[in-house]
Amino acid sequence: MANKPLDVKLKINSSRFGKWYQIRRFTDYSIDLDLESDADAFRFTISNPGGVCTGLFSKFDPMIIEINDEPIMRGRLDCVEYDWDDGGSTIVVNGRDLIANLIDNDATPGTHKNVKPTTFIKNKCEGYGIKSNISSSINSVEQLVINTGESEISVINGIVEDSRKKVWFFYDTLYAGDWNDSAEPTYLFTRGVRDRPGIPIKSLKYREDGTDTKSMVKIYGANSDGAEKVVGTAKNDYMIGRNINKREIKRASNDDSASKYADDAVRDVQDSLRDGMELTITTRAGLGGVILPNKTAQVIDTVSKINATFFIVGVNYDKSLNSGSIVTITMIPSKTTFDKLWKNQAKTSGSLTGTSKTTISELIKERW
């Protein structure tokens, strides 16, 4: 696969001069696209020979980042820094995408009854010039209490949390719902595979972290008389069998059925396991074009013996004088891969099972 340099453009609308400027040459840059961060961020170092760009840009100026003419981030500059030394002059600009408006603004305290997420979140976003795409499956909130010091985004995250949904942002739209983690792979990353050319893997790192993995989750609800009772319980049999006990107790705020609470407990135990599995791949920029989060990828690597699908939660585009242009892709097991890991340890059919004894590297469809 030919390595075609990425065409990265930073467009800035100068408030001082009232027009857009397009920059294409940078000493270095870092662009972070991350589903798990409230805001995506960027940092560019711009060469400033003879001070030709001095005074063009200032904090709060609107900006757009494009890669290969595809818009990937829209927001504002947070900081502009000038640097002069014996080697010349540079300008460093950094900032965040549009969702920063929901981070930087505290929500107005108050109590709201029977909140419909699709309406509430849409209205909040529109107030800051942000589009929204909200899943109708997110449950209504009987009583929403907003306390002093809560940001707009923390309130939105709280609204969707009880429905086990996610909040993420891309370009100009806030999304609330489920990640597309069961889709067919968009990308193919390979190393040592001759018959299936893909995006070449430069380096690969896999990490399993059990720090926050739970062996049991109990969700408490309430009887009609107000007395609390356990309405949902899930266990990780494999961890408990190894005498590894990490119990989490949660209080349910929605008046759901016992079966719904049980399903939520299963989801919580599984998520605590899956969130501790992380695959990181680096590749040279330009190989495979623009790589974006919220998509799945097939990874086939003869060195680690991995052959499985993963879900991309973060992408970093980085350029420096020392390492050149590198793309770092952070992934977790896709739903398909995780289900295989989970079922390999199944103790009872149709119920919660334990952590798989099978490691991710053993999910191999063929041997080399």
Side-chain angles (χ1 to χ4, degrees), residues 22-42:
Q22 178 173 285
I23 305 101
R24 301 180 68 171
R25 295 186 178 182
F26 314 98
T27 303
D28 58 69
Y29 60 72
S30 178
I31 306 167
D32 280 310
L33 307 174
D34 193 337
L35 297 181
E36 298 184 306
S37 296
D38 283 337
D40 292 333
F42 62 90

Side-chain angles (χ1 to χ4, degrees), residues 5 25 41 45 53 59 62 66 135 137-139 145 183 199 223 228 233 261 265 277 339 360 366:
R25 295 186 178 182
T45 301
C53 295
K59 59 182 181 295
E66 294 180 356
S135 171
S137 63
I138 300 174
N139 297 329
V145 179
I199 303 171
N223 290 318
E228 288 189 340
T233 302
Y261 286 131
M277 301 175 176
D339 286 347
I360 199 74
E366 55 185 327

Side-chain angles (χ1 to χ4, degrees), residues 82-135:
Y82 294 91
D83 183 27
W84 291 271
D85 59 23
D86 293 339
S89 173
T90 58
I91 302 173
V92 178
V93 297
N94 61 65
R96 296 164 293 165
D97 60 13
L98 288 178
I99 203 175
N101 289 319
L102 299 175
I103 298 171
D104 297 342
N105 281 279
D106 283 352
T108 303
T111 300
H112 305 266
K113 301 287 187 179
N114 298 318
V115 173
K116 295 182 178 180
T118 50
T119 302
F120 183 89
I121 298 175
K122 178 182 178 181
N123 290 340
K124 285 294 180 183
C125 289
E126 288 180 346
Y128 295 99
I130 296 173
K131 298 177 183 178
S132 61
N133 187 331
I134 314 301
S135 171

Side-chain angles (χ1 to χ4, degrees), residues 325-346:
S325 298
I326 298 293
V327 182
T328 302
I329 303 100
T330 303
M331 297 176 272
I332 61 174
S334 69
K335 185 178 185 305
T336 301
T337 296
F338 181 78
D339 286 347
K340 289 180 180 178
L341 281 169
W342 193 259
K343 291 176 182 178
N344 280 345
Q345 176 60 25

Side-chain angles (χ1 to χ4, degrees), residues 164-229:
R164 271 57 180 181
K165 303 300 181 182
K166 304 283 189 179
V167 175
W168 70 97
F169 187 84
F170 182 73
Y171 191 64
D172 61 358
T173 304
L174 180 142
Y175 297 86
D178 292 311
W179 287 342
N180 194 23
D181 59 356
S182 59
E184 289 296 314
T186 299
Y187 310 107
L188 171 64
F189 297 95
T190 61
R191 181 167 58 178
V193 182
R194 296 181 179 180
D195 58 339
R196 293 192 63 184
I199 303 171
I201 297 171
K202 177 175 169 39
S203 68
L204 182 149
K205 178 173 66 176
Y206 177 69
R207 179 172 62 90
E208 287 187 346
D209 186 350
T211 305
D212 297 319
T213 303
K214 303 301 179 184
S215 61
M216 178 185 294
V217 172
K218 289 186 176 183
I219 300 179
Y220 281 77
N223 290 318
S224 57
D225 60 2
E228 288 189 340
K229 65 173 183 177

Side-chain angles (χ1 to χ4, degrees), residues 189 191 193 201 204 299-307 368:
F189 297 95
R191 181 167 58 178
V193 182
I201 297 171
L204 182 149
V299 178
I300 305 176
D301 178 32
T302 61
V303 177
S304 62
K305 302 302 182 185
I306 290 177
N307 186 347
W368 292 274

